[in-house]
């Protein structure tokens, strides 16, 4: 091992003679353009930032491992899930959704829960949130929804009118809005919240038999949430409170862990279940499909370098391995395009070559070139397929499992619109104090809304979920619960 060279160098490796003084004519200048070290330093400095994520910009990451505790190979041939005791390295990135890169951690917002498993069969990304459902159920509405969560283009301020206007006109959001406005809207730390795949995915075993699956990461630290006043105080005093907590816990050897469980639905049940099991605004009853343990995820190593490992990490629900596949869920389908498209724009064409994103089993294909192709670019190996030069071959046993699809190609909405039962069930699951805090959070968030019609429309939705729910919010806002006719008038 060559002795580490302690000489300060330029980015082309030449030793630097003086890093304190620019090269100038005399002590008073002017500065000479021939000071290429100065030019390089200033030019590189101007290019240190890459675009922040368009959502989930503020985040924190950690390395760890996943260990199988229950053999579910009867459901999936995914190798990393194949035998009890098997350990797979993984990386996770937690995040908020709406805030910019420098925004506060302790805001009311869903939290991203993005896991990358570096398996022997390639990377598997489970890109979820800390809530089992989502606000919308068709990808086409996502840009509009996120616009309402971000800054008003005129004032550059957050705009509660936009937020509640969108939600009151998209009643499918009611279940997730209830979760967001409840205690779980502000987790105490990233360690004290659950993670979910949210969508329905598909597992296929070695015999080609498939089931539908939903993922639940149950925190082993127990669920803890922040009091709204403490959260507001922390947002001002220490906007990186969750980031710091995660880093220090791991630094101190207090390794957080989650138990991964799944719900398994037989393929044919999807045709007869009481609502569309691919609708990501709904949860499956755990009485119908009980939780089954899979394994344990332990975070035991902090990133060495935030930019290299967290800012450059790229996840996608389309990063799948044999034995795991997607469902027809329209949100999930939309995400299959969006994520790698975002990464090609934000990080670069060859983002998957970066150390944090590179699969441990290597990349063996005919893709070549593209900007920043910093590996050997396939060297002199055969660069097309099919070929007679023993290049990498496809393996038919790893084809995506087939399944029947049907229907007319058209812009079609879901064929059921019960947006109220599960939101109402959640409200009725809460104890008295939890309901009071939920209503108080909603009233505080809705008070600044200018248009009364927006408030009334939203109150009607809460009322349809549960009469007490809607009545309490209306009282808090000094309004009456409107009838459907009044809302539609
Ligand atoms: Fe995302 N989402 N998303 N999202 N999402 C991104 O990828 C998108 C959705 C989630 O730590 C983006 O690199 C669309 C649901 C997480 O790096 C982008 C739709 C869920 C993260 C994107 C959704 C998520 C992202 C932004 C509607 C939970 C952070 C920049 C169809 C199940 C991952 C980027 C990380 C990031 C698109 C909805 C979770 C733009 C189009 C539902 C945890 O690609």
């Amino acid at each position: 091992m060559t002795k580490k060279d302690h000489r300060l160098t330029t980015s082309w490796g030449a030793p630097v003679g003086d890093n304190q003084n620019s090269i100038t004519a005399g002590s008073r200048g002017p500065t000479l353009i021939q000071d290429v070290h100065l030019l390089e330093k200033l030019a590189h400095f101007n290019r240190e930032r890459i675009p922040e994520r368009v959502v989930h910009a503020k985040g924190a990451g950690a390395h760890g491992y996943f260990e199988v505790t229950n053999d579910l190979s009867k459901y999936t041939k995914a190798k990393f899930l194949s035998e009890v005791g098997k350990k797979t390295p993984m990386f996770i990135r937690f995040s908020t959704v709406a805030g910019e890169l420098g925004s506060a951690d302790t805001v009311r917002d869903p939290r991203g829960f993005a896991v990358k498993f570096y398996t022997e069969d390639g990377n598997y990304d489970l890109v979820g949130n800390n809530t089992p459902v989502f606000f919308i159920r068709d990808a086409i509405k996502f840009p509009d929804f996120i616009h309402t969560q971000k800054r008003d283009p005129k004032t550059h301020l957050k705009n509660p009118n936009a937020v509640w206007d969108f939600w009151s006109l998209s009643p499918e959001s009611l279940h997730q809005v209830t979760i967001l406005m409840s205690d779980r809207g502000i987790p105490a730390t990233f360690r004290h919240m659950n993670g979910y795949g949210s969508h329905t995915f598909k597992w296929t075993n070695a015999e080609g038999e498939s089931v539908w699956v939903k993922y639940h990461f149950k925190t082993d630290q127990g669920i803890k949430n922040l009091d709204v006043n403490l959260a507001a105080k922390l947002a001002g005093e220490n906007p990186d409170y969750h980031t710091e907590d995660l880093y220090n816990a791991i630094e101190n050897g207090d390794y957080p862990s989650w138990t991964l469980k799944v719900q398994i639905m037989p393929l044919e049940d999807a045709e007869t279940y009481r609502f569309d099991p691919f609708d990501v605004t709904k949860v499956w009853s755990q009485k119908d499909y009980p939780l089954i343990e899979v394994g344990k995820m332990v975070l035991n190593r902090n990133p060495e370098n935030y930019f290299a490992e967290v800012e450059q990490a790229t996840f996608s629900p389309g990063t799948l391995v044999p034995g795991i596949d997607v469902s027809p869920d329209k949100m999930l389908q939309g995400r299959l395009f969006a994520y790698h498209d975002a990464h090609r724009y934000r990080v670069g064409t060859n983002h998957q070559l970066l150390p944090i994103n590179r699969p441990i089993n290597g990349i063996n294909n005919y893709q070549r070139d593209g900007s920043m192709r910093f590996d050997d670019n396939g060297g002199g190996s055969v660069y097309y397929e099919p070929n007679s030069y023993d290049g990498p071959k496809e393996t038919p046993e790893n084809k995506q499992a087939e399944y029947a699809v049907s229907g007319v190609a058209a812009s079609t909405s879901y064929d059921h619109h019960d947006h109220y039962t599960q939101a109402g069930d959640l409200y009725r699951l809460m104890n008295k104090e939890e309901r009071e805090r939920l209503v108080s959070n909603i009233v505080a968030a809705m008070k600044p809304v200018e248009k009364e019609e927006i408030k009334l429309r939203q109150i009607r939705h809460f009322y349809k979920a549960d009469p007490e729910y809607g009545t309490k919010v209306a009282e808090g806002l000094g309004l009456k619960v409107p009838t459907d006719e009044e809302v539609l008038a």
Side-chain angles (χ1 to χ4, degrees):
M1 161 93 156
T2 51
K3 193 166 155 315
K4 186 157 169 27
D5 186 341
H6 275 275
R7 296 181 304 171
L8 174 66
T9 72
T10 62
S11 44
W12 57 89
V16 169
D18 185 337
N19 198 37
Q20 316 312 316
N21 308 292
S22 305
I23 300 173
T24 57
S27 62
R28 294 172 55 182
T31 305
L32 302 184
I33 198 167
Q34 70 187 53
D35 186 347
V36 288
H37 173 47
L38 165 70
L39 305 185
E40 165 69 17
K41 264 184 84 170
L42 295 179
H44 188 277
F45 176 71
N46 285 340
R47 293 160 176 80
E48 283 185 352
R49 301 285 163 273
I50 61 175
E52 69 177 31
R53 292 168 175 81
V54 69
V55 281
H56 293 271
K58 174 74 181 288
H63 296 272
Y65 65 86
F66 177 78
E67 182 172 5
V68 177
T69 54
N70 183 19
D71 175 358
L72 293 182
S73 50
K74 68 173 180 268
Y75 292 121
T76 177
K77 64 181 177 182
K79 286 186 188 150
F80 81 106
L81 297 176
S82 59
E83 61 192 89
V84 173
K86 184 162 206 159
K87 282 188 174 183
T88 301
M90 46 64 61
F91 179 73
I92 191 167
R93 182 174 180 272
F94 300 104
S95 52
T96 52
V97 176
E100 299 87 359
L101 202 48
S103 59
D105 287 342
T106 57
V107 294
R108 184 173 301 282
D109 205 7
R111 292 312 185 274
F113 194 103
V115 188
K116 186 180 294 287
F117 298 95
Y118 302 95
T119 90
E120 62 199 278
D121 251 357
N123 292 344
Y124 172 50
D125 290 352
L126 239 182
V127 196
N129 277 342
N130 71 333
T131 96
V133 296
F134 198 71
F135 297 94
I136 53 176
R137 52 187 189 172
D138 191 321
I140 204 164
K141 294 185 77 162
F142 186 69
D144 306 283
F145 164 56
I146 294 299
H147 280 181
T148 69
Q149 295 289 306
K150 295 277 191 178
R151 296 175 182 278
D152 180 296
K154 182 171 177 213
T155 63
H156 198 54
L157 301 173
K158 296 297 178 76
N159 181 352
N161 295 290
V163 169
W164 292 99
D165 195 21
F166 182 89
W167 282 339
S168 69
L169 291 166
S170 311
E172 68 270 27
S173 62
L174 192 63
H175 189 186
Q176 174 62 31
V177 167
T178 302
I179 296 171
L180 176 68
M181 303 312 286
S182 76
D183 293 343
R184 295 216 177 176
I186 313 181
T189 75
F190 289 135
R191 300 178 290 136
H192 295 89
M193 63 183 201
N194 290 341
Y196 300 87
S198 305
H199 301 284
T200 298
F201 293 89
K202 183 165 59 158
W203 276 5
T204 301
N205 65 16
E207 290 67 46
E209 299 147 347
S210 300
V211 291
W212 302 116
V213 63
K214 274 191 183 278
Y215 296 98
H216 303 247
F217 286 91
K218 298 288 192 190
T219 172
D220 297 331
Q221 289 68 247
I223 295 280
K224 265 200 216 133
N225 303 304
L226 271 188
D227 160 76
V228 286
N229 300 311
L230 174 58
K233 189 165 175 292
L234 284 168
E237 285 172 6
N238 180 1
D240 304 319
Y241 179 74
H242 286 168
T243 305
E244 188 176 20
D245 167 83
L246 177 70
Y247 190 90
N248 290 344
I250 293 172
E251 210 61 11
N252 300 331
D254 177 11
Y255 301 142
S257 66
W258 284 259
T259 301
L260 173 60
K261 299 187 178 181
V262 289
Q263 289 177 287
I264 299 284
M265 174 189 282
L267 221 54
E268 59 279 5
D269 283 16
E271 304 316 313
T272 54
Y273 200 49
R274 56 182 173 282
F275 54 77
D276 182 341
F278 308 136
D279 174 348
V280 74
T281 65
K282 306 276 184 308
V283 292
W284 298 349
S285 150
Q286 292 182 18
K287 287 195 202 73
D288 298 343
Y289 304 102
L291 290 175
I292 306 169
E293 183 169 320
V294 183
K296 195 169 273 290
M297 176 176 78
V298 181
L299 306 184
N300 61 1
R301 180 163 63 90
N302 278 317
E304 201 47 45
N305 180 286
Y306 183 88
F307 183 86
E309 299 165 60
V310 186
E311 200 54 21
Q312 290 191 131
T314 58
F315 300 87
S316 166
T319 302
L320 300 158
V321 293
I324 300 179
D325 210 332
V326 292
S327 71
D329 170 339
K330 299 178 191 179
M331 283 281 280
L332 180 54
Q333 295 280 322
R335 295 177 71 201
L336 297 178
F337 160 74
Y339 284 68
H340 282 310
D341 180 62
H343 307 329
R344 293 181 192 107
Y345 160 68
R346 192 175 72 85
V347 184
T349 310
N350 288 303
H351 63 94
Q352 301 195 78
L353 294 176
L354 288 167
I356 190 65
N357 300 321
R358 195 176 179 80
I360 52 174
N361 59 320
I363 299 171
N364 206 13
N365 61 29
Y366 299 95
Q367 289 177 14
R368 294 287 184 274
D369 309 340
S371 68
M372 297 299 283
R373 184 75 206 235
F374 51 83
D375 65 346
D376 68 358
N377 194 28
S381 62
V382 61
Y383 47 93
Y384 59 88
E385 202 273 340
N387 62 71
S388 323
Y389 296 91
D390 197 25
K393 291 257 176 300
E394 60 206 5
T395 47
E397 68 274 19
N398 290 310
K399 278 185 184 177
Q400 284 188 351
E402 58 188 41
Y403 73 101
V405 290
S406 65
V408 174
S411 299
T412 321
S413 86
Y414 281 79
D415 55 10
H416 71 271
H417 301 283
D418 173 6
H419 311 307
Y420 304 105
T421 305
Q422 293 203 359
D425 289 348
L426 178 60
Y427 179 81
R428 290 181 284 273
L429 261 179
M430 293 179 188
N431 65 35
K432 182 170 171 300
E433 292 71 28
E434 287 168 335
R435 290 183 196 182
E436 284 165 0
R437 288 193 294 270
L438 168 71
V439 169
S440 137
N441 295 335
I442 290 172
V443 168
M446 287 183 71
K447 251 201 180 99
V449 172
E450 286 149 11
K451 264 186 171 248
E452 190 165 291
E453 92 181 67
I454 296 174
K455 289 178 178 170
L456 292 170
R457 196 185 303 130
Q458 187 65 41
I459 287 168
R460 186 73 194 154
H461 292 317
F462 290 133
Y463 185 83
K464 289 164 113 172
D466 186 286
E468 181 193 279
Y469 188 5
T471 306
K472 293 276 184 198
V473 172
E475 284 166 3
L477 292 168
L479 295 167
K480 273 190 342 37
V481 177
T483 63
D484 276 336
E485 296 63 42
E486 284 163 338
V487 164
L488 295 173

